[in-house]
Amino acid sequence: MAQRSIREYEGKRIFHNDWRRHFGQFLYAFQAASVASGDELRALASGDTHDWLNQVPLVVKPDMVFGRRGLNGLVFHKINTPGDVTLDDAARWIDEKRAETTTLLSGQSGILSRFIVEPFLDHDSTTEYYIAAVMGDATDTLSMSVKGGIDIEENWDHVRQVEIPPTVTADELTAMIAAAVPDDVADRDRFTLFATDFYRFFRDQHFTYLEINPFCLDGDQVYLLDLVAKVDDTAGFLMDKRWGPLYFPTPFGMKAPGPEEKQIRTMDEKSGASLKLTILNPQGRVWTLVAGGGASVVYADTIADLIGVDELANYGEYSGNPTTRETRVYTETLLDLMTRNPDPQAREKLLIIGGAIANFTDVAKTFTGIIQALRQYRDKMKTIGVRLYVRRGGPNYEVGLRNMQKAGNELGLPIEVYGPETHMTDIVRLALSA
Amino acid sequence: MIINKQSAEAGTIDAAFAGGVLFRRDTQAIFWNNHQTAVQRMLDYDTLIGRDLPSVAAIVSATGSSRFGKFFFGSSEILIPIYKSSAEAVAEHTGADVLLNFASFRRAYRITDEALGIPGIRTIMITAEGIPERHARALKLRAGELGKLIIGPATVGAITPGAFKIANTGGTIENIIASKLHRAGSCGLVTRSGGLFNELAHTIALNADGISEGVAIGGDRFAASGFVEHLLRMQANPAVKYLLMLGEVGGSEEYRVIEAVRDGRLSKPVIGWCIGTIASHFSTGVQFGHAGASANDDAEMANTKNEAMRAAGIHVPRSFNDLPEIINGVHSELHAEGIIGDITEPVVTSLPEDCQTALDSGRVRKRTHFTCTISDDRGEEATYAGYPISAVATPDTGFGICDVITLLWFKRRYPKWATDFLETVIKTVADHGPAVSGAHNARVTARAGKDIISALVTGLLTIGPRFGGAIDGAARYFKLGADQNMAADEFIDHMSERGVLIPGIGHRIKSKKNPDLRVEGLKHYAETHFPATPLLDYALQVERRTTRKKDNLILNVDGVVGVLMVDMWHGLGYAEEEIDRFIDSGTLNAFFVLGRSIGFIGHILDEKRLGMPMYRHPFNDILYDVPLKRDEP
């Protein structure tokens, strides 16, 4: 993968973990609770670690990696006046939200299932600052403003930006940021120091996007009110300790991965090969079992192009020379989903076993795994009616294709097998015109 | 033959890609990581195109201990030197200016960064997928500053047909020939995906005259060199007559190409297609294909990019399925105009086939030198008599150590009454104290400072006719007597006539009145659990006779184990000849060896733990009977 959104709670936890290393001149009290229900919140409050929940007014927000929570009316901080939310109120609000469908201004809708609860900060008297850093193609961009908060976009002309090249030295960095700090910042020195620390934190922790809007400076005390963050998950192996265990939530409103998708994901994480599976429409007629990250996209394109995206049941790929067992389990998972229900219009389902001409993946070996799975699901496939279309090239492809044809014949499954002389996506056309 | 270091004409970096040519027939690479298949594929390609100089000059392997790797170059074998670091390799092979970085994603950044600092290296290819984006970006920028070329990360590589190919690019030799990658064509091909690179090279060979040069830039977000850099280089290469770019949803690389077409920097005909049109059907969340393939806005959508390319005068098919037609069209037009000439197909140097490949495909057969009927380590998990190890290893499988022994020694799982008996035997023979000769020898050896294997083997080598051999003997002789229907008296006479003490009879201390509890336990177990114990019954008849002569001539523990083994095999349905074969091959002794090894190891560890000094036998325990001799003066 690459850039992944993380929860606000996790972002703040990472700040907290490494605070002293990066923000030595400042203080940050990490007081936050991440809960899924009112009961969970009450349970935390009755323990030793989160006693503050009983003592201060609270603010509650959904923590599901979508922004504009203020504009969406999803920041619960008052009943009558700001700062009068008690533990019971917070727990009740969470349970209310959990019980209904929420639709955002962007149109995404779903159930809110994860919340962040923090002390309410009465910050009328202090300035709401804005700071954000993003990783670009050649430079990082640091943005700063004294007019942060919910209206940041309306006040975008107050935002000052600085482009920071990766080769920047420590001295240059401080000078660049100092020069870019907005004029209307009250305590420039302190702000510059914090912004510099913030940028280094962003860079060294492999964030690709990090925004705090707003934050407040009160002497040495820093208040991080609202945070949005994305990390580069390929840096996970370097950041093990600093990030701690990170969970990457499914975007709000998107169907959470099913058990089958999770199973493949787990297998993928443990394997040197690549195994991906996304179910787009379990009722779809056309299923794809395609080798290769590029080829799998081309097959999906072609299917959507020829009969529309609604008929496409899944997107997925296997590549990087998976073992026979891995391809078998992958195929079984797919066939299991495919053969659960017959086509609503009683048509035959189509299984596209496709792929480009492999560079080094052993076609015969991966096909052995697929054939084992076909044997296993023969009866189910016959019951609902499945036609198979195969196209592949690469190391040992003749043996692989021959075995596939033989297996189809033996199992009595209608199968058509093609090699590299047939254009890669032609089998989609053939399958759909049959 | 050892490949000498090649001192090629060292060119400046500017001269490196003069004429836009990426690789030449004398280009040599340093291969980082001892990736034998990929190196061999490069050398096979060399043979195919008739290169005299291997395209791999050296290998870098930071961890391996070998100093040379053996590879085929044509039908003969060559040695390619292996170094610990890129710097060492480059110092020895100044002609090699390409580094093929096959390090894992954990190390690829460091290796590449280091190679950028080595003056002789001009081109680096990175295969690892999943290099942190910040690192990939840093490499891209630094390479740009230094005027060096990085291809990748996350790529299969690049090829200049007829000159040099990187690692697995183009796939198998058969595919290379089918895709005409062994000689230059006229298309310049640039893709992101490695699999589709191969596919398109094949398509271009079928529908036009093949490629002149091709690069897969890699699927990560930060490809260190992008579409436009390569296409501009190909524009400068007169051998390239038209260009084909296969883009992807996500990123804005394709717009830089469009710009170059619009401002005339790219004047050769360009065919373009962006894959991932499917992504526009899904608002969020589904990651199609590569890491870099994720659209942040409309402009990054494949459809939008395809439209923009079309508007700029790039040849854009209606879909991927129509690409062959477009390729054929552009090529035919250029051919008709005389821009592309006819190609005389070169004679392909046939490549000797690998023995293994020929075997796999069933074209040749080979005699084997060994046979194995008990275990198989060829699959993903080794098996014991057909059972995967994981199916017998943990307690929940219900298999005990004696189940494993019977699988490996007798190729079948014995019933519980038999495995319980075998376990009893092993436990019973495990140790008979430090004074017996085998244990003594093991201990003396351990005290001489030898390792556990030497000490154990010393103990085991003591086992023979006088020490530990009685089990075998008991089984053999009692079975002989029973098989020949000798009465107990007859058997005793038969043995004494031959002057053989009956093995398994007699004990130093134990007697009829003071029975050996180990023997009683085994007898009781067998009487309760064995289907029948005919040989034990026979041995007991013999014992009744011998104990009449002397009270301590009882059936001892070796004797009872020996005869019960035979009864066990009878109970399991083995034929007499099979049982005889077990006895002859020393199977009973094997149980003794196995069991007693436990005790020997215990004694050896005990000696080590106690740190006892070297043992020297005292003079006063040896009778010296060596008369003095004096030479007469």
Side-chain angles (χ1 to χ4, degrees), chain A residues 81-395:
Chain A
T81 53
D84 63 356
V85 173
T86 65
L87 175 68
D88 273 343
D89 300 329
R92 211 166 24 245
W93 189 78
I94 288 170
D95 287 336
E96 279 166 24
K97 289 293 163 196
R98 255 160 44 89
E100 63 190 31
T101 301
T102 300
T103 303
L104 305 180
L105 296 171
S106 62
Q108 292 155 284
S109 85
I111 305 276
L112 299 176
S113 58
R114 177 58 57 175
F115 303 84
I116 179 169
V117 184
E118 296 171 292
F120 173 79
L121 176 70
D122 186 8
H123 58 282
D124 282 354
S125 49
T126 46
T127 313
E128 287 196 331
Y129 290 123
Y130 168 87
I131 191 163
V134 60
M135 181 174 160
D137 283 347
T139 58
D140 295 330
T141 307
L142 182 69
S143 310
M144 296 165 283
S145 171
V146 289
K147 290 205 182 297
I150 197 165
D151 300 323
I152 183 67
E153 283 170 41
E154 285 160 33
N155 293 318
W156 197 250
D157 48 343
H158 288 266
V159 173
R160 292 283 307 274
Q161 293 188 316
V162 53
E163 302 285 327
I164 302 171
T167 48
V168 76
T169 65
D171 291 344
E172 284 167 0
L173 179 66
T174 311
M176 284 176 91
I177 292 176
V181 166
D183 298 334
D184 35 7
V185 167
D187 188 345
R188 290 188 65 86
D189 287 349
R190 207 184 288 274
F191 188 97
T192 305
L193 182 60
F194 179 77
T196 313
D197 289 349
F198 171 87
Y199 172 73
R200 284 213 188 89
F201 173 78
F202 159 81
R203 183 187 63 191
D204 297 351
Q205 305 272 3
H206 286 268
F207 284 93
T208 57
Y209 185 77
L210 184 61
E211 173 194 281
I212 311 176
N213 180 35
F215 75 98
C216 301
L217 286 177
D218 181 7
D220 290 337
Q221 195 70 45
V222 182
Y223 298 98
L224 309 178
L225 271 65
D226 203 303
L227 177 150
V228 178
K230 282 183 184 182
V231 296
D232 169 16
D233 75 345
T234 55
F237 72 99
L238 296 168
M239 293 288 111
D240 253 7
K241 290 221 177 71
R242 303 209 177 287
W243 288 353
L246 264 192
Y247 172 76
F248 300 111
T250 311
F252 179 70
M254 216 185 111
K255 187 177 67 78
E260 296 82 11
E261 290 157 302
K262 277 189 190 153
Q263 185 200 349
I264 299 300
R265 195 179 293 173
T266 312
M267 207 159 85
D268 180 53
E269 281 161 7
K270 288 180 184 158
S271 167
S274 167
L275 301 153
K276 306 269 185 297
L277 177 64
T278 307
I279 302 303
L280 302 172
N281 171 18
Q283 302 301 323
R285 184 183 174 213
V286 186
W287 292 73
T288 58
L289 178 57
V290 179
S296 60
V297 176
V298 174
Y299 277 98
D301 284 355
T302 309
I303 293 161
D305 192 35
L306 292 181
I307 51 161
V309 72
D310 296 341
E311 296 278 32
L312 179 60
N314 72 306
Y315 169 75
E317 63 106 3
Y318 65 90
S319 57
N321 214 2
T323 63
T324 302
R325 196 195 71 87
E326 284 167 344
T327 23
R328 176 175 56 78
V329 175
Y330 183 85
T331 311
E332 282 172 358
T333 309
L334 195 76
L335 292 179
D336 182 53
L337 287 161
M338 183 182 188
T339 56
R340 280 185 195 172
N341 299 302
D343 180 62
Q345 298 172 47
R347 298 166 300 177
E348 280 178 314
K349 291 195 183 185
L350 303 169
L351 179 60
I352 305 289
I353 303 177
I357 302 166
N359 286 298
F360 55 87
T361 295
D362 186 327
V363 174
K365 195 174 89 185
T366 51
F367 274 17
T368 304
I370 294 178
I371 291 168
Q372 286 170 357
L374 292 178
R375 287 189 196 286
Q376 186 93 10
Y377 279 85
R378 174 189 116 128
D379 294 341
K380 286 188 173 177
M381 289 169 80
K382 282 185 148 178
T383 310
I384 65 146
V386 175
R387 296 188 78 82
L388 292 85
Y389 289 83
V390 183
R391 192 278 186 183
R392 188 77 163 122

Side-chain angles (χ1 to χ4, degrees), chain A residues 18-69:
Chain A
D18 252 3
W19 188 265
R20 289 172 71 104
R21 212 165 64 92
H22 283 280
F23 300 92
Q25 302 288 309
F26 296 96
L27 299 169
Y28 168 54
F30 175 55
Q31 284 189 323
S34 177
V35 296
S37 69
D39 281 350
E40 209 181 301
L41 182 66
R42 289 194 184 92
L44 269 183
S46 62
D48 300 335
T49 50
H50 292 70
D51 198 31
W52 54 268
L53 284 169
N54 304 298
Q55 295 162 357
V56 295
L58 302 174
V59 55
V60 191
K61 297 175 285 189
D63 193 3
M64 301 184 67
V65 301
F66 61 82
R68 300 182 172 207
R69 288 168 297 186

Side-chain angles (χ1 to χ4, degrees), chain B residues 68-110:
Chain B
F68 290 94
K70 254 170 89 175
F71 294 92
F72 286 114
F73 192 63
S75 52
S76 55
E77 284 187 283
I78 57 169
L79 293 176
I80 293 186
I82 301 177
Y83 299 91
K84 291 276 173 220
S85 71
S86 309
E88 266 179 82
V90 173
E92 293 294 322
H93 302 271
T94 47
D97 61 0
V98 179
L99 185 93
L100 304 180
N101 183 353
F102 270 66
S104 76
F105 67 90
R106 291 171 182 277
R107 310 180 66 182
Y109 168 67
R110 197 177 55 71

